[in-house]
Every structure is written in structure tokens, then in C-alpha cells.
Amino acid sequence: ISLDFELIWGVFDHVDLQHKMQYFENTLHSIPRLLDVFAANSIHVTWATVGMLFNENWEEWEENVPLQKPTYTNRLLDPYYYGQQSKGMGLDRFFFAPHLVDEIRSTPYQEMATHTYSHYYCLEQGQTKEQFEADIAKAVAVAAKRDIRLKSLVFPRNQFNEDLLDSCVKYGIETVRSNPTDWYWDTKRESTLTVRLFRTGDAYFPLGNKSYTLDSVSSRQPFCQPASRFFRPQHKVQLLNRMRLERIKNEIIHAAKRGYVYHLWWHPHNIGNDPEGFMKGLNEVIDVYKQCSEKYGMRNLTMDEVWEIS
């Protein structure tokens, strides 16, 4: 399991924070619940965390601006511009979460990883390799202040960019999450209606096998671990919730029987619209995993632990 922990930094160009406050309040309250469930069931999880969340406040945020900032053609994607506009809102808890970083790292079986420092978009026009490296250098530095060594990375919005893999290695990243091999999960492909329909349908209907053998993954550095399934947020239609849950369960069983890798991921804020429903579904998924562990010897590992056995 890998989680993209980002809070408002991951969606500020899509949502108005003033209209999503309860959603993010639910998220903040749900993260300790997630950690309790993971610890109680010995679930190993990689938390790919936006580096800006490590800051205590806006003063520290300003001190940690990297040497080069991303020059996206689309200025609405610029987190530094957004941050400057948001400083006086009095909503720091949605921008900074050092207490949760500490809680995650103190919970057994959890790996602290990076989602870049600024939720950096690696395929957007205007950004450069030098800017990406400045961003990763800052992520590594703020983590090191808390005695955390970052070994794993998840590209924000799954904008997997092969041209930046050597930069990841340069700053100590040993493994990254890559995308499923299906054509409709190629993030370089235009997001047409057909692509969106297949991505949505894939969550509910069997459109191919999403698990894989460890041997099928290239051993080059950084080690690229494909995602298998996005654990989608709760839907208002309960039938769809049940369908997407059964899809995940069946995929776990399929992988366990064959000794395959199954990589489940989501954002902690995906819990925000229905915490109770999401937690209920997650517990069902964990129960299926535990059954597969007992029956087929399936193991649960962080991204770094998968890299170590590869």
C-alpha cells in the first residue's frame, strides 16, 4: 500500500478550500484512525508525503523555498503563488502537518517517503529538470531535519517522467511508483472521453489483470513499482461502492494465489467525504489480505521493503 499524503497542496488548483473545510477536517481526524488500523493489523504502508507538510508554519515555509521554483506555463499550478495568497486565511492545519508526520513515523510498519517537496508536476509545460532537482533536494533536506531518510517517491498526479529518474537516484531515491501498463493509464496520453471512461470502468469491471510478478519489474535504479489499483473514494451509490470493493478483493485473491505483487494506493483525503464508509471498506480489504496471508502466504510490504527483496 502506498498513500499520497498531500492535503490541500495536492488539489488547490481544483477546489476552493473555503468550500471543502469539513472534507479536510475529516481527513485530519481520519489519519490517526488509519494508523491505528494499520498498527493493529501489522499493515506495512508507504506514506508518500508532500514536503511542505513538514513545515511548522508559514515562516518556516518561506525559509524552505528551494533555490529554483517550478516555472509552470499554467500559473494556477504554482504552489508558491497559492501559498502567498493563502497565508492570512488562518487555516494552517490544512497546509502544515508536522504532528502527523511524527505520528506516522512513530507508528510501526510505516515508511515515510516523498511526494516531492511542493507536489511537483513532472510533465507540465514550463518546468525543468534543474527545478525538479531543487525540489527533491529540499524534500530530502526537510526530512533529514527529522532524521528521516527518504528512499521511495511517488510522482504527483502520477506524472511519471522517465527523464527524471536519474535525478531521483542522485538524491538517494531507490524506488518509485510507476503507472499500470494499460494504455488508458498512460499519463502522457490525452485525457479523452474514451480514456476517462476506461479509467472509471476499470474500477468496477474486470478490464484485465492488475497484479504482476516481481521478476517482471526492471531491476534498474530507481526500482519502478507499478501501481495496481486506486482505492477510489466512497460513492453516493452503494452498488458502485460494493462493485469497486469486490474488484479489489478479487484482485488481491488472484495475486495471492499466484504469488504476484498487488499495489493498492489512495490519498488520505479520499476518506474525507465519507470516513465511516471508507474505513468499513478498508477493514474488509484488510480482512481479505489476512485470509490470503494465512492461506497463500501473501506478505504485506512497504515500497522500500519490496525494493530490498527485488
Side-chain angles (χ1 to χ4, degrees), residues 9-10 65 72 110 116 156 259:
W9 295 116
V65 174
Y72 304 125
Q110 310 305 294
T116 72

Side-chain angles (χ1 to χ4, degrees), residues 253-283:
I253 295 170
H254 177 274
K257 286 181 176 179
R258 292 160 179 79
Y260 288 175
V261 178
Y262 186 73
H263 190 160
L264 186 65
W265 73 277
W266 69 91
H267 311 87
H269 66 74
N270 293 141
I271 302 174
N273 62 346
D274 181 4
E276 297 307 321
F278 193 97
M279 294 300 295
K280 181 176 183 296
L282 175 60
N283 278 302

Side-chain angles (χ1 to χ4, degrees), residues 5-20:
F5 181 29
E6 53 196 41
L7 296 183
I8 189 60
W9 295 116
V11 293
F12 66 79
D13 59 315
H14 287 333
V15 304
D16 183 343
L17 179 55
Q18 297 283 2
H19 297 155
K20 298 286 285 186

Side-chain angles (χ1 to χ4, degrees), residues 195-206:
V195 168
R196 293 195 296 272
L197 284 173
F198 269 82
R199 286 184 180 180
T200 301
D202 189 30
Y204 305 103
F205 304 102

Side-chain angles (χ1 to χ4, degrees), residues 5 35 45-50 53-54 97-98 100-107 109-115 143 146-153 173 302 304:
F5 181 29
L35 292 171
V45 178
T46 295
W47 291 75
T49 305
V50 169
L53 294 177
F54 282 64
L100 289 176
V101 169
D102 290 341
E103 191 167 347
I104 293 166
R105 66 178 302 206
S106 65
T107 301
Y109 320 116
Q110 310 305 294
E111 176 196 4
M112 289 302 304
T114 186
H115 204 31
R146 293 179 179 271
D147 296 320
I148 297 171
R149 182 191 166 196
L150 301 175
K151 298 181 181 180
S152 306
L153 176 145
I173 301 300
T302 65
D304 182 52

Side-chain angles (χ1 to χ4, degrees), residues 23 54 80 114 128 161-162 169 181 198 213 259 262 276 289:
Y23 177 83
F54 282 64
Y80 299 98
T114 186
T128 68
N161 188 336
E162 287 196 6
V169 175
T181 56
F198 269 82
T213 66
Y262 186 73
E276 297 307 321
Y289 157 69

Side-chain angles (χ1 to χ4, degrees), residues 33-306:
R33 294 180 64 189
L34 277 176
L35 292 171
D36 287 344
V37 169
F38 293 153
N41 293 280
S42 300
I43 302 297
H44 298 223
V45 178
T46 295
W47 291 75
T49 305
V50 169
M52 286 183 175
L53 294 177
F54 282 64
N55 293 310
E56 296 281 350
N57 48 45
W58 288 110
E59 182 179 359
E60 187 175 6
W61 177 79
E62 291 186 324
E63 291 173 355
N64 280 326
V65 174
L67 295 176
Q68 294 192 57
K69 297 185 291 185
T71 52
Y72 304 125
T73 301
N74 180 1
R75 192 183 186 190
L76 295 178
L77 298 177
D78 184 355
Y80 299 98
Y81 176 76
Y82 177 72
Q84 290 294 341
Q85 305 304 307
S86 305
K87 287 166 56 177
M89 296 173 64
L91 300 175
D92 293 14
R93 63 193 180 282
F94 303 132
F95 293 86
F96 311 117
H99 62 294
L100 289 176
V101 169
D102 290 341
E103 191 167 347
I104 293 166
R105 66 178 302 206
S106 65
T107 301
Y109 320 116
Q110 310 305 294
E111 176 196 4
M112 289 302 304
T114 186
H115 204 31
T116 72
Y117 179 70
S118 66
H119 203 258
Y120 190 100
Y121 300 118
C122 299
L123 293 176
E124 292 295 335
Q125 292 185 350
Q127 58 84 31
T128 68
K129 186 170 187 175
E130 292 73 23
Q131 292 167 359
F132 174 75
E133 290 195 357
D135 183 280
I136 293 301
K138 182 58 65 175
V140 169
V142 298
K145 288 181 179 179
R146 293 179 179 271
D147 296 320
I148 297 171
R149 182 191 166 196
L150 301 175
K151 298 181 181 180
S152 306
L153 176 145
V154 172
F155 288 100
R157 299 219 173 134
N158 297 308
Q159 291 189 5
F160 180 82
N161 188 336
E162 287 196 6
D163 295 336
L164 299 179
L165 293 181
D166 60 335
S167 298
C168 294
V169 175
K170 180 178 178 180
Y171 288 94
I173 301 300
E174 297 175 342
T175 182
V176 303
R177 192 178 76 204
S178 54
N179 298 325
T181 56
D182 308 272
W183 62 268
Y184 46 89
W185 287 115
D186 182 357
T187 53
K188 293 184 178 180
R189 179 183 290 270
E190 183 181 356
S191 183
T192 63
L193 176 60
T194 301
V195 168
R196 293 195 296 272
L197 284 173
F198 269 82
R199 286 184 180 180
T200 301
D202 189 30
Y204 305 103
F205 304 102
L207 300 180
N209 175 38
K210 295 300 183 291
S211 53
Y212 51 90
T213 66
L214 193 59
D215 292 341
S216 69
V217 182
S218 171
S219 59
R220 70 177 181 179
Q221 283 195 319
F223 186 68
C224 299
Q225 305 182 35
S228 297
R229 171 68 53 214
F230 171 44
F231 196 165
R232 296 176 70 89
Q234 288 288 107
H235 199 282
K236 293 181 179 179
V237 179
Q238 289 305 312
L239 175 61
L240 293 179
N241 290 329
R242 180 50 51 186
M243 289 174 66
R244 73 96 155 79
L245 204 56
E246 291 305 314
R247 180 101 164 94
I248 292 172
K249 292 179 181 179
N250 290 333
E251 287 176 332
I252 291 174
I253 295 170
H254 177 274
K257 286 181 176 179
R258 292 160 179 79
Y260 288 175
V261 178
Y262 186 73
H263 190 160
L264 186 65
W265 73 277
W266 69 91
H267 311 87
H269 66 74
N270 293 141
I271 302 174
N273 62 346
D274 181 4
E276 297 307 321
F278 193 97
M279 294 300 295
K280 181 176 183 296
L282 175 60
N283 278 302
E284 289 186 36
V285 168
I286 290 174
D287 285 344
V288 169
Y289 157 69
K290 291 168 71 175
Q291 293 168 17
C292 287
S293 177
E294 294 176 5
K295 189 171 183 179
Y296 305 111
M298 193 178 208
R299 288 189 291 166
N300 176 233
L301 303 171
T302 65
M303 287 177 58
D304 182 52
E305 288 168 339
V306 171

